[in-house]
Amino acid sequence: MKRLLLLSLLVPALAAAGVPDEDMILDRTMDAQSAFYYPALMMRYNAGDETLTDEDYHYLYYGYAYRDEYKPLAVNPDLDKMLMLASGIDPDKPDRATLETMVSVGNDALKRDPFSPKILNLMSFAYGALGDKEQEKAWSDRMNGVIRTILGSGDGFTQKTPRHVLMFDHALDVLAAEGLSFGKARIVSRTVEFVPLVVPYVVEGKKRKGFYFDFSRVYWNKPEGYTYQRDRTWQFNNLKPRTYK
């Protein structure tokens, strides 16, 4: 029987675009003649265009930091509503009305955070549970594109090679997607934070105690005296993600 909260993680390779070049991103996403003109890219993204490449996702994700809609420190009450709805679903027999409400609330939540892996994951789950396989895959593809972009921005093993994110929660969602348990993040510089792992991550025989994330975009317009509280990841109620096929 299908389980709740599918994490459809298909990340066979890192995104080709790599570390964000802010000047290039700004120039290309603002140029109406560019293949990466932002309004056109966003239209394709919202339409579930399957031809979007990793490079397209790179400009979509990091180009969002230059949009007026980008408000990384704003609260997202619709996400809270979506999580509450998901927590009350019977994974063996989900209620159709609740699933349809999740989709509606999820669309509102995406207006504040269109690249949230958590929201995209829940949208994919809801459509899949409703029997709409086409939309299930479309939302899964969006989530995987975002995750590949973040993973491709840096290995996260050192302060000089951090993974770049638009929202604090995106960092935690990516770690959850990798099946890693983590502790409380700590600031290591004006733009970078370190997220420790509960169990060290072994890479090529070396133990990695955590990952570095560049949050500089979040801080660009940070109100004076503002304190941010971490949100939950999508893994709750002991429900584990699955791989979408």
Side-chain angles (χ1 to χ4, degrees):
M1 185 64 68
K2 186 169 186 173
R3 300 296 293 171
L4 178 60
L5 298 188
L6 53 89
L7 170 60
S8 52
L9 178 61
L10 299 174
V11 189
L14 298 184
V19 180
D21 181 320
E22 299 305 328
D23 290 337
M24 186 178 294
I25 289 170
L26 185 58
D27 289 344
R28 292 187 175 183
T29 57
M30 296 294 182
D31 181 1
Q33 302 304 314
S34 168
F36 306 108
Y37 181 50
Y38 205 84
L41 275 182
M42 183 56 85
M43 186 177 298
R44 292 172 61 195
Y45 175 76
N46 288 333
D49 188 342
E50 296 182 352
T51 67
L52 286 169
T53 66
D54 282 349
E55 191 172 19
D56 291 329
Y57 269 97
H58 178 85
Y59 285 98
L60 265 169
Y61 186 74
Y62 295 113
Y64 188 63
Y66 297 97
R67 310 301 297 178
D68 291 339
E69 311 93 272
Y70 177 57
K71 295 179 174 59
L73 296 175
V75 296
N76 194 342
D78 292 305
L79 172 56
D80 292 334
K81 294 177 185 177
M82 197 179 193
L83 289 169
M84 287 299 296
L85 288 166
S87 68
I89 286 180
D90 179 348
D92 295 322
K93 191 177 180 181
D95 177 68
R96 186 175 187 85
T98 301
L99 293 170
E100 291 174 344
T101 302
M102 277 183 63
V103 169
S104 177
V105 173
N107 280 314
D108 290 334
L110 286 166
K111 294 175 183 177
R112 293 182 174 88
D113 189 357
F115 304 108
S116 165
K118 187 173 20 259
I119 299 173
L120 298 173
N121 175 65
L122 287 168
M123 291 291 282
S124 184
F125 164 76
Y127 273 111
L130 286 167
D132 190 334
K133 298 301 180 182
E134 182 177 348
Q135 283 298 319
E136 179 185 24
K137 183 178 184 301
W139 289 103
S140 168
D141 288 346
R142 290 182 181 97
M143 185 187 68
N144 284 310
V146 170
I147 292 176
R148 285 196 304 271
T149 295
I150 296 172
L151 293 178
S153 67
D155 59 28
F157 293 149
T158 71
Q159 187 175 337
K160 294 183 178 180
T161 60
R163 294 171 172 177
H164 294 250
V165 292
L166 295 183
M167 305 279 191
F168 288 114
D169 290 347
H170 295 185
L172 305 184
D173 289 347
V174 167
L175 292 177
E178 295 178 287
L180 301 174
S181 298
F182 46 84
K184 185 177 181 180
R186 64 175 183 266
I187 297 173
V188 296
S189 75
R190 295 181 63 183
T191 59
V192 176
E193 290 192 358
F194 178 75
V195 182
L197 299 179
V198 174
V199 178
Y201 182 65
V202 180
V203 181
E204 297 179 352
K206 296 182 179 180
K207 288 185 178 180
R208 306 292 183 177
K209 296 182 179 181
F211 288 87
Y212 293 88
F213 290 90
D214 184 307
F215 294 102
S216 58
R217 293 159 190 79
V218 176
Y219 298 146
W220 282 351
N221 298 309
K222 180 178 179 293
E224 186 176 354
Y226 185 92
T227 300
Y228 182 82
Q229 298 296 323
R230 292 285 193 277
D231 194 4
R232 295 166 288 178
T233 66
W234 58 58
Q235 292 181 300
F236 53 88
N237 292 346
N238 296 316
L239 295 171
K240 301 297 183 181
R242 73 168 178 81
T243 300
Y244 179 84
K245 297 181 180 180

